[in-house]
Amino acid sequence: MEDFLKDFYTSQIEIPQLKKPIEEIPVTKEEILDAKFDNNLYSRYLYDDTTGEYHPISSLTDEQITEIIRYHKYQENKDKIYDYYNYNSHNQGNAFYYKIVDRNGETYTNVPDEDIKYLNVLEIPYYGKNNENFKNSVNSFASDQGLTGTLYLPKYPMGNSTIQSSFIQNTIIKIIWFVAVVLNIFILFPIYSYFKKVRHTPLTIPDQYTWIGKKYSQLPIEFKASIFFATLLFIKGFRINFHASPTAFYIFKIAFQIIVLIFVIYIFTLQVQGIINRLKKPQIIQEEWNNGFYMSNKEAWSQFPLYRNIFFKLFIFTALIGFWGVIWGISTVAFGSFVIVTLISLLLIPILLFSIKRCSQRLQLIVDTLSKLAQNKKSPQIIVKGHDLISDISRDINTIQEGFALSSQKQSDSERLKTELITNVSHDLRTPLTSILNYVDLAKRSNISDLERQEYLNIIDNKSKRLKVLIDDLFEASKMASGAVELHKERVDLVALIYQSLAEYDDRFNDQGLAIKTKMVEQHMYAYCDGRKMSRVFENLFNNIIKYAQPATRVYIEMEYEESDIVITLKNISNYELGFDVSELSERFKRGDSSRHTEGSGLGLSIVKSILELHGAIFELSKDGDLFKVIIKVKKYS
């Protein structure tokens, strides 16, 4: 009742007053004088954060001081409201119906219009039969807050309150009492019936419970021995204390204990039967020992270092704790030993907890990282220290993260290049094909001259050859990518091969005004390769230079040794801005001319890359501003 009145006053009277707007909060003259007298009372409002200056309260007008006091009260009201809604239980708000009048004569009520059955009607001030302390505390609070009126306790509790909780608890106890009685009847009746049947017959196990025996027989012999001694100790120490006036919960507890005891006795019976069988047939013990936990894992234990064997570490850790517990239990016999062991335990516990906490944090970090990996989210690498199992797992996870990141990047690049491939091959095949179709249509017309028809046929011929080159390059690139190419390797002079290719393209280089500058460290440099395929490499590279090099510039071709490799370098100034990753140029249909004004299949460098990969050579592309550079590394002939 007192709790209800306090909650009612706070929620219905005090909180609404605290929720007043800041401009409606009253400030008295005494508060203004107190503020002027005590500078520290509102000092936090007198410091200017922007200028770092402190303004004494004596320098402010009464209106300014009033605003400070009003703001301070407003903040205090907000804190009180927050504390009420976040730290009070409010568990008495619906305990009663009420009709209460405050000191101002305002009436508060939640009494419904319909008739309600009440267990009790309580007047305020309260003059009931409860003890004097209760009456005094209730009346004192009601008098201090100026509350009078009537409380109506409904027959059926409503909402959340201690009355409602007591009502629910009483109902639950009645249900538990009923269930306990019924449960005992159901348990005792079949036990009694079964006992009447088997009291004159040898002890046997019912068929419906044989699965327990089967499961038990599958356990390792070490576990069976542990269970036997545990059940023996349990039965020896089992006690049921009967109470003179038991509660419903106590009756339920007794019934549960009886069920557990029956189950343990049954397990103990199985164990005794097993011991008798083993005494009759000792070979069973030998077979179970050989198939037991120790012998089954003996070989596995010997294959791992001790520091990596989780089971061994957990076993030792648990055994040490158990051993120390035994020592602590024995020490209780002598007070001095008990004090010493307890002090040592208090010293060891923080160390143990710190070790467990540190290990748990590392495991939690691994779990969080794996969770982010499963959700395909980025996660920082785990900091690895030491060489234990957790460190090894952390290293493996870091490696997996790096692999995932690389795989994701490759997949993204693959998808992008695949889209570009489809777009580009469609464009490159459609353009000459469309021209062929259009000019065929024009050539078929009867109203054109023979000269025009011949011109159209020449264009069709050129476009057809262009289409054939594109299809041949595409076929060649596909063969290279699939590896379905036979190499006829032999000793080849790469210097002579590159000069031969230069001679074939001399006229085209001159047409573009490109000056070729060569630098060979030796007159003859041999490699073990397919001469025709390597010739195709140089042809494609020179075609690429002619199409994309800036006219009237120099092209540098160098050949030198680098350990066991022949390094071939080609450099030229690009006629187009290289605003992309030049390594993509070796992908199919990727061209340096993004607007595709130049003729080409976009497969030249892709074929070069495939041929060199078949030879086990290295192919690198790089840029420095508009300087485009190709580097080839081929194993020299030895």
Side-chain angles (χ1 to χ4, degrees), residues 130-316:
N130 294 82
N131 62 60
E132 291 299 320
N133 290 334
F134 174 78
K135 287 193 290 185
N136 291 339
S137 62
V138 170
N139 292 336
S140 175
F141 178 82
S143 175
D144 291 342
Q145 307 303 335
L147 302 178
T148 58
T150 307
L151 301 182
Y152 305 89
L153 180 63
K155 185 175 182 180
Y156 300 101
M158 56 181 184
N160 294 322
S161 66
T162 53
I163 296 174
Q164 175 76 349
S165 300
S166 300
F167 177 83
I168 293 173
Q169 184 180 4
N170 182 263
T171 304
I172 291 173
I173 290 174
K174 290 179 181 178
I175 294 172
I176 291 174
W177 177 269
F178 175 79
V179 171
V181 172
V182 173
L183 190 62
N184 276 279
I185 292 172
F186 274 96
I187 291 172
L188 295 175
F189 181 78
I191 292 174
Y192 175 74
S193 301
Y194 182 71
F195 176 76
K196 286 177 66 179
K197 291 180 181 179
V198 301
R199 59 182 175 177
H200 299 302
T201 58
L203 182 60
T204 57
I205 301 172
D207 294 338
Q208 60 268 33
Y209 301 122
T210 55
W211 65 270
I212 300 177
K214 292 178 181 178
K215 292 292 184 183
Y216 175 78
S217 64
Q218 295 172 2
L219 292 174
I221 190 171
E222 296 90 345
F223 290 3
K224 290 177 183 177
S226 300
I227 294 173
F228 174 75
F229 287 110
T231 52
L232 191 62
L233 292 172
F234 179 84
I235 294 172
K236 181 178 179 296
F238 189 83
R239 297 288 186 275
I240 298 179
N241 298 319
F242 293 97
H243 200 274
S245 54
T247 63
F249 178 75
Y250 182 77
I251 297 298
F252 180 80
K253 179 182 177 182
I254 295 297
F256 178 76
Q257 288 178 335
I258 293 172
I259 294 172
V260 172
L261 179 61
I262 293 171
F263 178 77
V264 173
I265 291 174
Y266 174 68
I267 296 296
F268 183 73
T269 303
L270 291 177
Q271 293 170 330
V272 172
Q273 288 181 340
I275 292 173
I276 294 171
N277 292 334
R278 285 165 181 78
L279 291 175
K280 292 178 179 178
K281 299 178 180 180
Q283 65 271 19
I284 296 177
I285 299 177
Q286 185 62 43
E287 291 176 3
E288 289 190 336
W289 173 251
N290 293 333
N291 297 324
F293 185 77
Y294 171 76
M295 295 300 293
S296 298
N297 294 278
K298 185 178 180 181
E299 184 178 352
W301 293 346
S302 63
Q303 293 176 356
F304 293 96
L306 293 182
Y307 83 93
R308 291 180 59 87
N309 194 311
I310 297 176
F311 168 77
F312 182 82
K313 295 177 71 173
L314 290 177
F315 177 79
I316 294 296

Side-chain angles (χ1 to χ4, degrees), residues 475-488 530 533 610-611 614-615:
F475 179 71
E476 184 75 14
S478 300
K479 282 179 61 179
M480 293 291 180
S482 65
V485 177
E486 292 186 8
L487 296 180
H488 302 283
D530 187 325
K533 292 292 188 292
S610 298
I611 292 173
L614 289 173
H615 282 84

Side-chain angles (χ1 to χ4, degrees), residues 479-532:
K479 282 179 61 179
M480 293 291 180
S482 65
V485 177
E486 292 186 8
L487 296 180
H488 302 283
K489 292 186 178 182
E490 56 185 347
R491 183 171 178 266
V492 177
D493 184 357
L494 294 183
V495 176
L497 190 63
I498 204 167
Y499 277 126
Q500 180 182 339
S501 298
L502 283 171
E504 294 176 3
Y505 283 84
D506 187 55
D507 293 339
R508 297 180 61 184
F509 279 126
N510 292 332
D511 291 341
Q512 296 294 322
L514 298 173
I516 306 300
K517 302 294 182 181
T518 60
K519 181 182 178 182
M520 312 297 179
V521 294
E522 292 184 9
Q523 291 184 351
H524 303 283
M525 301 175 73
Y526 296 96
Y528 186 66
C529 59
D530 187 325
R532 294 183 62 185

